[in-house]
PDB file of all heavy atoms in Angstrom:
ATOM      1  N   GLN A 963       0.817  -1.208   0.000  1.00 93.00           N
ATOM      2  CA  GLN A 963       0.000   0.000   0.000  1.00 93.00           C
ATOM      3  C   GLN A 963       0.851   1.259   0.000  1.00 93.00           C
ATOM      4  O   GLN A 963       0.483   2.271  -0.594  1.00 93.00           O
ATOM      5  CB  GLN A 963      -0.936  -0.016   1.206  1.00 93.00           C
ATOM      6  CG  GLN A 963      -2.013  -1.092   1.139  1.00 93.00           C
ATOM      7  CD  GLN A 963      -3.022  -0.988   2.265  1.00 93.00           C
ATOM      8  OE1 GLN A 963      -2.975  -0.064   3.076  1.00 93.00           O
ATOM      9  NE2 GLN A 963      -3.945  -1.932   2.326  1.00 93.00           N
ATOM     10  N   ASP A 964       1.998   1.214   0.659  1.00 94.00           N
ATOM     11  CA  ASP A 964       2.871   2.389   0.723  1.00 94.00           C
ATOM     12  C   ASP A 964       3.638   2.606  -0.575  1.00 94.00           C
ATOM     13  O   ASP A 964       3.866   3.746  -0.984  1.00 94.00           O
ATOM     14  CB  ASP A 964       3.861   2.245   1.890  1.00 94.00           C
ATOM     15  CG  ASP A 964       3.157   2.230   3.236  1.00 94.00           C
ATOM     16  OD1 ASP A 964       2.090   2.875   3.346  1.00 94.00           O
ATOM     17  OD2 ASP A 964       3.664   1.578   4.159  1.00 94.00           O
ATOM     18  N   ASP A 965       4.036   1.513  -1.210  1.00 96.00           N
ATOM     19  CA  ASP A 965       4.799   1.598  -2.457  1.00 96.00           C
ATOM     20  C   ASP A 965       4.371   0.431  -3.340  1.00 96.00           C
ATOM     21  O   ASP A 965       4.873  -0.682  -3.186  1.00 96.00           O
ATOM     22  CB  ASP A 965       6.300   1.543  -2.174  1.00 96.00           C
ATOM     23  CG  ASP A 965       7.135   1.814  -3.408  1.00 96.00           C
ATOM     24  OD1 ASP A 965       6.548   1.877  -4.512  1.00 96.00           O
ATOM     25  OD2 ASP A 965       8.363   1.976  -3.283  1.00 96.00           O
ATOM     26  N   PRO A 966       3.447   0.650  -4.274  1.00 95.00           N
ATOM     27  CA  PRO A 966       2.852  -0.456  -5.035  1.00 95.00           C
ATOM     28  C   PRO A 966       3.843  -1.294  -5.829  1.00 95.00           C
ATOM     29  O   PRO A 966       3.531  -2.434  -6.162  1.00 95.00           O
ATOM     30  CB  PRO A 966       1.868   0.261  -5.974  1.00 95.00           C
ATOM     31  CG  PRO A 966       1.547   1.537  -5.293  1.00 95.00           C
ATOM     32  CD  PRO A 966       2.806   1.942  -4.593  1.00 95.00           C
ATOM     33  N   LYS A 967       5.018  -0.757  -6.123  1.00 95.00           N
ATOM     34  CA  LYS A 967       5.979  -1.563  -6.878  1.00 95.00           C
ATOM     35  C   LYS A 967       6.745  -2.542  -5.990  1.00 95.00           C
ATOM     36  O   LYS A 967       7.452  -3.423  -6.475  1.00 95.00           O
ATOM     37  CB  LYS A 967       6.963  -0.676  -7.631  1.00 95.00           C
ATOM     38  CG  LYS A 967       7.949   0.111  -6.784  1.00 95.00           C
ATOM     39  CD  LYS A 967       8.916   0.896  -7.664  1.00 95.00           C
ATOM     40  CE  LYS A 967       9.898   1.724  -6.852  1.00 95.00           C
ATOM     41  NZ  LYS A 967       9.228   2.840  -6.160  1.00 95.00           N
ATOM     42  N   VAL A 968       6.545  -2.445  -4.687  1.00 96.00           N
ATOM     43  CA  VAL A 968       7.179  -3.339  -3.720  1.00 96.00           C
ATOM     44  C   VAL A 968       6.175  -4.416  -3.319  1.00 96.00           C
ATOM     45  O   VAL A 968       5.020  -4.120  -3.006  1.00 96.00           O
ATOM     46  CB  VAL A 968       7.650  -2.562  -2.473  1.00 96.00           C
ATOM     47  CG1 VAL A 968       8.207  -3.515  -1.415  1.00 96.00           C
ATOM     48  CG2 VAL A 968       8.681  -1.516  -2.862  1.00 96.00           C
ATOM     49  N   ALA A 969       6.638  -5.662  -3.316  1.00 96.00           N
ATOM     50  CA  ALA A 969       5.750  -6.777  -2.986  1.00 96.00           C
ATOM     51  C   ALA A 969       5.402  -6.773  -1.497  1.00 96.00           C
ATOM     52  O   ALA A 969       6.267  -6.575  -0.644  1.00 96.00           O
ATOM     53  CB  ALA A 969       6.413  -8.088  -3.355  1.00 96.00           C
ATOM     54  N   ALA A 970       4.119  -7.017  -1.207  1.00 96.00           N
ATOM     55  CA  ALA A 970       3.657  -7.142   0.169  1.00 96.00           C
ATOM     56  C   ALA A 970       3.525  -8.611   0.540  1.00 96.00           C
ATOM     57  O   ALA A 970       3.704  -9.511  -0.304  1.00 96.00           O
ATOM     58  CB  ALA A 970       2.321  -6.424   0.333  1.00 96.00           C
ATOM     59  N   THR A 971       3.195  -8.866   1.792  1.00 94.00           N
ATOM     60  CA  THR A 971       2.991 -10.238   2.265  1.00 94.00           C
ATOM     61  C   THR A 971       1.919 -10.926   1.416  1.00 94.00           C
ATOM     62  O   THR A 971       0.881 -10.343   1.124  1.00 94.00           O
ATOM     63  CB  THR A 971       2.542 -10.227   3.736  1.00 94.00           C
ATOM     64  OG1 THR A 971       3.546  -9.586   4.523  1.00 94.00           O
ATOM     65  CG2 THR A 971       2.337 -11.641   4.241  1.00 94.00           C
ATOM     66  N   GLY A 972       2.194 -12.160   1.023  1.00 92.00           N
ATOM     67  CA  GLY A 972       1.267 -12.909   0.184  1.00 92.00           C
ATOM     68  C   GLY A 972       1.715 -13.015  -1.253  1.00 92.00           C
ATOM     69  O   GLY A 972       1.152 -13.805  -2.018  1.00 92.00           O
ATOM     70  N   SER A 973       2.722 -12.215  -1.637  1.00 95.00           N
ATOM     71  CA  SER A 973       3.250 -12.317  -3.004  1.00 95.00           C
ATOM     72  C   SER A 973       4.010 -13.619  -3.163  1.00 95.00           C
ATOM     73  O   SER A 973       4.774 -14.029  -2.285  1.00 95.00           O
ATOM     74  CB  SER A 973       4.185 -11.140  -3.308  1.00 95.00           C
ATOM     75  OG  SER A 973       3.479  -9.926  -3.355  1.00 95.00           O
ATOM     76  N   THR A 974       3.810 -14.271  -4.308  1.00 96.00           N
ATOM     77  CA  THR A 974       4.526 -15.525  -4.597  1.00 96.00           C
ATOM     78  C   THR A 974       5.256 -15.462  -5.934  1.00 96.00           C
ATOM     79  O   THR A 974       5.856 -16.445  -6.350  1.00 96.00           O
ATOM     80  CB  THR A 974       3.549 -16.721  -4.636  1.00 96.00           C
ATOM     81  OG1 THR A 974       2.619 -16.525  -5.720  1.00 96.00           O
ATOM     82  CG2 THR A 974       2.791 -16.867  -3.329  1.00 96.00           C
ATOM     83  N   LEU A 975       5.184 -14.313  -6.612  1.00 97.00           N
ATOM     84  CA  LEU A 975       5.727 -14.187  -7.962  1.00 97.00           C
ATOM     85  C   LEU A 975       7.190 -14.606  -8.009  1.00 97.00           C
ATOM     86  O   LEU A 975       8.010 -14.137  -7.216  1.00 97.00           O
ATOM     87  CB  LEU A 975       5.581 -12.746  -8.448  1.00 97.00           C
ATOM     88  CG  LEU A 975       5.819 -12.492  -9.924  1.00 97.00           C
ATOM     89  CD1 LEU A 975       4.793 -13.225 -10.780  1.00 97.00           C
ATOM     90  CD2 LEU A 975       5.771 -10.987 -10.209  1.00 97.00           C
ATOM     91  N   CYS A 976       7.499 -15.508  -8.943  1.00 97.00           N
ATOM     92  CA  CYS A 976       8.857 -16.030  -9.038  1.00 97.00           C
ATOM     93  C   CYS A 976       9.194 -16.331 -10.500  1.00 97.00           C
ATOM     94  O   CYS A 976       8.356 -16.176 -11.386  1.00 97.00           O
ATOM     95  CB  CYS A 976       9.016 -17.290  -8.185  1.00 97.00           C
ATOM     96  SG  CYS A 976       7.997 -18.689  -8.730  1.00 97.00           S
ATOM     97  N   ARG A 977      10.411 -16.767 -10.740  1.00 97.00           N
ATOM     98  CA  ARG A 977      10.847 -17.080 -12.096  1.00 97.00           C
ATOM     99  C   ARG A 977      10.004 -18.206 -12.675  1.00 97.00           C
ATOM    100  O   ARG A 977       9.634 -19.153 -11.974  1.00 97.00           O
ATOM    101  CB  ARG A 977      12.322 -17.501 -12.111  1.00 97.00           C
ATOM    102  CG  ARG A 977      13.259 -16.394 -11.734  1.00 97.00           C
ATOM    103  CD  ARG A 977      14.727 -16.722 -11.945  1.00 97.00           C
ATOM    104  NE  ARG A 977      15.010 -18.070 -12.372  1.00 97.00           N
ATOM    105  CZ  ARG A 977      15.514 -19.030 -11.594  1.00 97.00           C
ATOM    106  NH1 ARG A 977      15.739 -18.791 -10.308  1.00 97.00           N
ATOM    107  NH2 ARG A 977      15.783 -20.216 -12.078  1.00 97.00           N
ATOM    108  N   PRO A 978       9.690 -18.150 -13.969  1.00 98.00           N
ATOM    109  CA  PRO A 978       8.836 -19.178 -14.568  1.00 98.00           C
ATOM    110  C   PRO A 978       9.427 -20.576 -14.492  1.00 98.00           C
ATOM    111  O   PRO A 978       8.681 -21.556 -14.394  1.00 98.00           O
ATOM    112  CB  PRO A 978       8.681 -18.705 -16.017  1.00 98.00           C
ATOM    113  CG  PRO A 978       9.835 -17.789 -16.255  1.00 98.00           C
ATOM    114  CD  PRO A 978      10.090 -17.118 -14.953  1.00 98.00           C
ATOM    115  N   GLU A 979      10.761 -20.666 -14.504  1.00 98.00           N
ATOM    116  CA  GLU A 979      11.391 -21.989 -14.422  1.00 98.00           C
ATOM    117  C   GLU A 979      11.031 -22.710 -13.126  1.00 98.00           C
ATOM    118  O   GLU A 979      10.878 -23.938 -13.107  1.00 98.00           O
ATOM    119  CB  GLU A 979      12.916 -21.851 -14.518  1.00 98.00           C
ATOM    120  CG  GLU A 979      13.432 -21.323 -15.845  1.00 98.00           C
ATOM    121  CD  GLU A 979      13.470 -19.812 -15.930  1.00 98.00           C
ATOM    122  OE1 GLU A 979      12.937 -19.146 -15.007  1.00 98.00           O
ATOM    123  OE2 GLU A 979      14.049 -19.289 -16.906  1.00 98.00           O
ATOM    124  N   LEU A 980      10.876 -21.942 -12.040  1.00 98.00           N
ATOM    125  CA  LEU A 980      10.540 -22.553 -10.751  1.00 98.00           C
ATOM    126  C   LEU A 980       9.109 -23.071 -10.723  1.00 98.00           C
ATOM    127  O   LEU A 980       8.799 -24.033 -10.025  1.00 98.00           O
ATOM    128  CB  LEU A 980      10.743 -21.534  -9.627  1.00 98.00           C
ATOM    129  CG  LEU A 980      12.173 -21.030  -9.422  1.00 98.00           C
ATOM    130  CD1 LEU A 980      12.215 -19.982  -8.319  1.00 98.00           C
ATOM    131  CD2 LEU A 980      13.110 -22.188  -9.088  1.00 98.00           C
ATOM    132  N   ARG A 981       8.250 -22.451 -11.518  1.00 98.00           N
ATOM    133  CA  ARG A 981       6.833 -22.830 -11.503  1.00 98.00           C
ATOM    134  C   ARG A 981       6.581 -24.169 -12.208  1.00 98.00           C
ATOM    135  O   ARG A 981       5.517 -24.768 -12.029  1.00 98.00           O
ATOM    136  CB  ARG A 981       5.997 -21.722 -12.148  1.00 98.00           C
ATOM    137  CG  ARG A 981       5.999 -20.433 -11.343  1.00 98.00           C
ATOM    138  CD  ARG A 981       5.255 -19.313 -12.042  1.00 98.00           C
ATOM    139  NE  ARG A 981       3.858 -19.636 -12.259  1.00 98.00           N
ATOM    140  CZ  ARG A 981       3.020 -18.838 -12.912  1.00 98.00           C
ATOM    141  NH1 ARG A 981       3.452 -17.685 -13.419  1.00 98.00           N
ATOM    142  NH2 ARG A 981       1.756 -19.194 -13.069  1.00 98.00           N
ATOM    143  N   VAL A 982       7.517 -24.602 -13.021  1.00 98.00           N
ATOM    144  CA  VAL A 982       7.350 -25.874 -13.734  1.00 98.00           C
ATOM    145  C   VAL A 982       8.376 -26.924 -13.315  1.00 98.00           C
ATOM    146  O   VAL A 982       8.439 -28.002 -13.900  1.00 98.00           O
ATOM    147  CB  VAL A 982       7.413 -25.668 -15.267  1.00 98.00           C
ATOM    148  CG1 VAL A 982       6.249 -24.827 -15.748  1.00 98.00           C
ATOM    149  CG2 VAL A 982       8.741 -25.035 -15.678  1.00 98.00           C
ATOM    150  N   ALA A 983       9.172 -26.626 -12.275  1.00 98.00           N
ATOM    151  CA  ALA A 983      10.243 -27.554 -11.865  1.00 98.00           C
ATOM    152  C   ALA A 983       9.676 -28.915 -11.473  1.00 98.00           C
ATOM    153  O   ALA A 983      10.261 -29.957 -11.802  1.00 98.00           O
ATOM    154  CB  ALA A 983      11.034 -26.950 -10.708  1.00 98.00           C
ATOM    155  N   HIS A 984       8.545 -28.949 -10.786  1.00 98.00           N
ATOM    156  CA  HIS A 984       7.955 -30.227 -10.366  1.00 98.00           C
ATOM    157  C   HIS A 984       7.433 -31.016 -11.563  1.00 98.00           C
ATOM    158  O   HIS A 984       7.451 -32.246 -11.563  1.00 98.00           O
ATOM    159  CB  HIS A 984       6.838 -29.995  -9.352  1.00 98.00           C
ATOM    160  CG  HIS A 984       5.706 -29.158  -9.853  1.00 98.00           C
ATOM    161  ND1 HIS A 984       5.862 -27.855 -10.254  1.00 98.00           N
ATOM    162  CD2 HIS A 984       4.375 -29.431 -10.016  1.00 98.00           C
ATOM    163  CE1 HIS A 984       4.705 -27.370 -10.656  1.00 98.00           C
ATOM    164  NE2 HIS A 984       3.780 -28.312 -10.531  1.00 98.00           N
ATOM    165  N   VAL A 985       6.980 -30.308 -12.591  1.00 98.00           N
ATOM    166  CA  VAL A 985       6.514 -30.971 -13.809  1.00 98.00           C
ATOM    167  C   VAL A 985       7.682 -31.632 -14.525  1.00 98.00           C
ATOM    168  O   VAL A 985       7.586 -32.766 -15.007  1.00 98.00           O
ATOM    169  CB  VAL A 985       5.795 -29.961 -14.733  1.00 98.00           C
ATOM    170  CG1 VAL A 985       5.475 -30.589 -16.086  1.00 98.00           C
ATOM    171  CG2 VAL A 985       4.525 -29.453 -14.063  1.00 98.00           C
ATOM    172  N   GLU A 986       8.804 -30.933 -14.586  1.00 98.00           N
ATOM    173  CA  GLU A 986       9.987 -31.488 -15.255  1.00 98.00           C
ATOM    174  C   GLU A 986      10.495 -32.737 -14.548  1.00 98.00           C
ATOM    175  O   GLU A 986      11.021 -33.651 -15.192  1.00 98.00           O
ATOM    176  CB  GLU A 986      11.081 -30.426 -15.330  1.00 98.00           C
ATOM    177  CG  GLU A 986      10.719 -29.264 -16.248  1.00 98.00           C
ATOM    178  CD  GLU A 986      11.786 -28.186 -16.286  1.00 98.00           C
ATOM    179  OE1 GLU A 986      12.095 -27.611 -15.216  1.00 98.00           O
ATOM    180  OE2 GLU A 986      12.318 -27.919 -17.373  1.00 98.00           O
ATOM    181  N   LYS A 987      10.338 -32.796 -13.236  1.00 98.00           N
ATOM    182  CA  LYS A 987      10.826 -33.951 -12.478  1.00 98.00           C
ATOM    183  C   LYS A 987       9.827 -35.109 -12.478  1.00 98.00           C
ATOM    184  O   LYS A 987      10.213 -36.274 -12.626  1.00 98.00           O
ATOM    185  CB  LYS A 987      11.150 -33.532 -11.040  1.00 98.00           C
ATOM    186  CG  LYS A 987      12.328 -32.562 -10.923  1.00 98.00           C
ATOM    187  CD  LYS A 987      12.522 -32.113  -9.479  1.00 98.00           C
ATOM    188  CE  LYS A 987      13.660 -31.117  -9.345  1.00 98.00           C
ATOM    189  NZ  LYS A 987      13.797 -30.616  -7.948  1.00 98.00           N
ATOM    190  N   LEU A 988       8.543 -34.799 -12.304  1.00 98.00           N
ATOM    191  CA  LEU A 988       7.540 -35.849 -12.161  1.00 98.00           C
ATOM    192  C   LEU A 988       6.902 -36.268 -13.484  1.00 98.00           C
ATOM    193  O   LEU A 988       6.325 -37.344 -13.578  1.00 98.00           O
ATOM    194  CB  LEU A 988       6.451 -35.392 -11.189  1.00 98.00           C
ATOM    195  CG  LEU A 988       6.917 -35.199  -9.739  1.00 98.00           C
ATOM    196  CD1 LEU A 988       5.835 -34.532  -8.907  1.00 98.00           C
ATOM    197  CD2 LEU A 988       7.326 -36.527  -9.119  1.00 98.00           C
ATOM    198  N   LYS A 989       6.966 -35.380 -14.495  1.00 98.00           N
ATOM    199  CA  LYS A 989       6.472 -35.675 -15.850  1.00 98.00           C
ATOM    200  C   LYS A 989       5.042 -36.218 -15.864  1.00 98.00           C
ATOM    201  O   LYS A 989       4.779 -37.319 -16.353  1.00 98.00           O
ATOM    202  CB  LYS A 989       7.419 -36.646 -16.567  1.00 98.00           C
ATOM    203  CG  LYS A 989       8.858 -36.138 -16.675  1.00 98.00           C
ATOM    204  CD  LYS A 989       9.725 -37.060 -17.473  1.00 98.00           C
ATOM    205  CE  LYS A 989      11.180 -36.635 -17.435  1.00 98.00           C
ATOM    206  NZ  LYS A 989      11.414 -35.246 -17.848  1.00 98.00           N
ATOM    207  N   PRO A 990       4.093 -35.463 -15.325  1.00 98.00           N
ATOM    208  CA  PRO A 990       2.689 -35.897 -15.402  1.00 98.00           C
ATOM    209  C   PRO A 990       2.217 -35.856 -16.854  1.00 98.00           C
ATOM    210  O   PRO A 990       2.831 -35.206 -17.707  1.00 98.00           O
ATOM    211  CB  PRO A 990       1.972 -34.856 -14.549  1.00 98.00           C
ATOM    212  CG  PRO A 990       2.811 -33.619 -14.714  1.00 98.00           C
ATOM    213  CD  PRO A 990       4.221 -34.113 -14.748  1.00 98.00           C
ATOM    214  N   GLU A 991       1.112 -36.507 -17.128  1.00 98.00           N
ATOM    215  CA  GLU A 991       0.579 -36.490 -18.490  1.00 98.00           C
ATOM    216  C   GLU A 991       0.061 -35.102 -18.873  1.00 98.00           C
ATOM    217  O   GLU A 991       0.127 -34.707 -20.038  1.00 98.00           O
ATOM    218  CB  GLU A 991      -0.533 -37.533 -18.626  1.00 98.00           C
ATOM    219  CG  GLU A 991      -0.014 -38.966 -18.562  1.00 98.00           C
ATOM    220  CD  GLU A 991      -1.125 -39.992 -18.624  1.00 98.00           C
ATOM    221  OE1 GLU A 991      -1.495 -40.396 -19.740  1.00 98.00           O
ATOM    222  OE2 GLU A 991      -1.633 -40.364 -17.553  1.00 98.00           O
TER     223      GLU A 991
END
């Protein structure tokens, strides 16, 4: 609220590679 460009509690935004790391390891259909 004080500085909108700064992440507040609850932000999870991360590199896209991390979001698919479990898929690359477990290889679901």
